[in-house]
């Protein structure tokens, strides 16, 4: 069911500082400007690589879902991995059928397509994001 690995999500306390590290130290050349995503309580920026992306996420607002993660990991850290799926509702139904805890109803993510998150306790300790593939022409 899962398609390409779309991105690895990395939670950071300071997105601009993280962007500088990826640009200056690792030599990434294609980094998007940070954007708030208030519905998800984060600001994000993408580091575009020849294959795949890194998604830097910084808390946005009072009740950010990554605030606790950053309390435990004050320097930031690897937060989730995201796989593409063709149809997010079919994927959600399949996950529920298989006994996975789905953490949210499909909602629009950073790529403008619907996403769900799966409870890491059901997936080997890894927070998994499933994201509907962007359709051609969108
Ligand atoms: Co993500």
């Amino acid at each position: 069911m899962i398609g390409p690995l779309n991105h690895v999500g990395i939670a950071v306390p300071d997105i601009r500082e993280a962007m500088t590290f990826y640009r200056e130290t690792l030599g990434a050349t294609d980094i998007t400007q940070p954007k708030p995503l208030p519905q998800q309580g984060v600001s994000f920026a993408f580091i575009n690589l020849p294959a795949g992306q890194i998604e830097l996420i910084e808390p946005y607002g009072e009740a950010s879902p990554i605030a606790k993660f950053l309390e435990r990991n004050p320097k930031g850290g690897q937060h989730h991995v995201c796989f593409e799926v063709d149809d997010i509702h079919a994927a959600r139904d399949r996950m529920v059928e298989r006994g996975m805890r789905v953490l949210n109803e499909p909602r629009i993510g950073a790529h403008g397509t619907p996403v769900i998150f799966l409870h890491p306790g059901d997936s080997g300790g890894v927070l998994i994001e499933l994201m509907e593939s962007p359709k051609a022409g969108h």
Side-chain angles (χ1 to χ4, degrees):
M1 181 195 71
I2 56 171
L5 175 66
N6 184 276
H7 62 267
V8 174
I10 296 182
V12 299
D14 182 331
I15 202 164
R16 301 246 169 220
E17 201 176 291
M19 290 165 66
T20 300
F21 168 73
Y22 277 88
R23 189 174 50 243
E24 303 296 325
T25 303
L26 292 181
T29 53
D30 185 357
I31 304 179
T32 66
Q33 281 305 305
K35 257 199 209 159
L37 192 62
Q39 320 84 279
Q40 294 208 14
V42 297
S43 295
F44 66 93
F46 288 118
I47 298 163
N48 293 314
L49 302 170
Q53 293 176 315
I54 299 294
E55 179 186 66
L56 299 175
I57 47 177
E58 175 190 68
Y60 179 91
E62 292 303 307
S64 176
I66 64 170
K68 278 223 170 70
F69 180 91
L70 284 169
E71 271 172 34
R72 291 193 304 269
N73 305 276
K75 291 183 170 176
Q78 196 247 298
H79 182 261
H80 65 274
V81 296
C82 177
F83 302 107
E84 293 184 26
V85 297
D86 284 338
D87 179 329
I88 198 73
H89 291 91
R92 189 263 323 265
D93 292 349
R94 180 187 166 113
M95 292 301 103
V96 170
E97 269 168 37
R98 310 243 160 167
M100 298 291 293
R101 282 169 284 179
V102 176
L103 297 178
N104 62 285
E105 283 301 304
R107 65 177 184 224
I108 297 301
H111 290 80
T113 70
V115 304
I116 58 173
F117 286 87
L118 306 178
H119 196 295
D122 299 337
S123 50
V126 178
L127 178 61
I128 292 178
E129 177 181 13
L130 299 178
M131 161 193 155
E132 193 163 284
S133 299
K135 302 291 180 276
H138 285 262

PDB file of all heavy atoms in Angstrom, residues 7 55 80 129, ligand 1:
ATOM      1  N   HIS A   7       9.089  12.233   3.057  1.00  0.00           N
ATOM      2  CA  HIS A   7      10.020  13.052   3.833  1.00  0.00           C
ATOM      3  C   HIS A   7      10.261  12.451   5.209  1.00  0.00           C
ATOM      4  O   HIS A   7       9.530  11.578   5.659  1.00  0.00           O
ATOM      5  CB  HIS A   7       9.523  14.501   3.978  1.00  0.00           C
ATOM      6  CG  HIS A   7       8.225  14.665   4.708  1.00  0.00           C
ATOM      7  ND1 HIS A   7       7.013  14.703   4.075  1.00  0.00           N
ATOM      8  CD2 HIS A   7       7.956  14.798   6.026  1.00  0.00           C
ATOM      9  CE1 HIS A   7       6.054  14.863   4.971  1.00  0.00           C
ATOM     10  NE2 HIS A   7       6.593  14.923   6.170  1.00  0.00           N
ATOM     11  N   GLU A  55      11.704  17.618   6.373  1.00  0.00           N
ATOM     12  CA  GLU A  55      10.712  18.594   6.812  1.00  0.00           C
ATOM     13  C   GLU A  55      11.127  19.077   8.200  1.00  0.00           C
ATOM     14  O   GLU A  55      11.062  18.309   9.170  1.00  0.00           O
ATOM     15  CB  GLU A  55       9.334  17.934   6.865  1.00  0.00           C
ATOM     16  CG  GLU A  55       8.218  18.850   7.335  1.00  0.00           C
ATOM     17  CD  GLU A  55       6.901  18.091   7.502  1.00  0.00           C
ATOM     18  OE1 GLU A  55       6.813  17.210   8.379  1.00  0.00           O
ATOM     19  OE2 GLU A  55       5.981  18.350   6.727  1.00  0.00           O
ATOM     20  N   HIS A  80       9.224  12.131  12.771  1.00  0.00           N
ATOM     21  CA  HIS A  80       8.346  11.198  12.049  1.00  0.00           C
ATOM     22  C   HIS A  80       8.898  10.901  10.666  1.00  0.00           C
ATOM     23  O   HIS A  80       9.788  11.594  10.192  1.00  0.00           O
ATOM     24  CB  HIS A  80       6.911  11.745  11.947  1.00  0.00           C
ATOM     25  CG  HIS A  80       6.769  12.997  11.126  1.00  0.00           C
ATOM     26  ND1 HIS A  80       6.943  14.268  11.635  1.00  0.00           N
ATOM     27  CD2 HIS A  80       6.468  13.181   9.808  1.00  0.00           C
ATOM     28  CE1 HIS A  80       6.745  15.163  10.692  1.00  0.00           C
ATOM     29  NE2 HIS A  80       6.460  14.545   9.552  1.00  0.00           N
ATOM     30  N   GLU A 129       3.595   9.149   9.388  1.00  0.00           N
ATOM     31  CA  GLU A 129       2.629  10.003   8.697  1.00  0.00           C
ATOM     32  C   GLU A 129       2.339   9.360   7.351  1.00  0.00           C
ATOM     33  O   GLU A 129       3.264   8.968   6.634  1.00  0.00           O
ATOM     34  CB  GLU A 129       3.237  11.401   8.497  1.00  0.00           C
ATOM     35  CG  GLU A 129       2.340  12.364   7.715  1.00  0.00           C
ATOM     36  CD  GLU A 129       2.993  13.753   7.506  1.00  0.00           C
ATOM     37  OE1 GLU A 129       4.215  13.897   7.744  1.00  0.00           O
ATOM     38  OE2 GLU A 129       2.274  14.671   7.093  1.00  0.00           O
TER      39      GLU A 129
HETATM   40 CO1  LIG B   1       5.493  15.484   7.856  1.00  0.00          CO
END
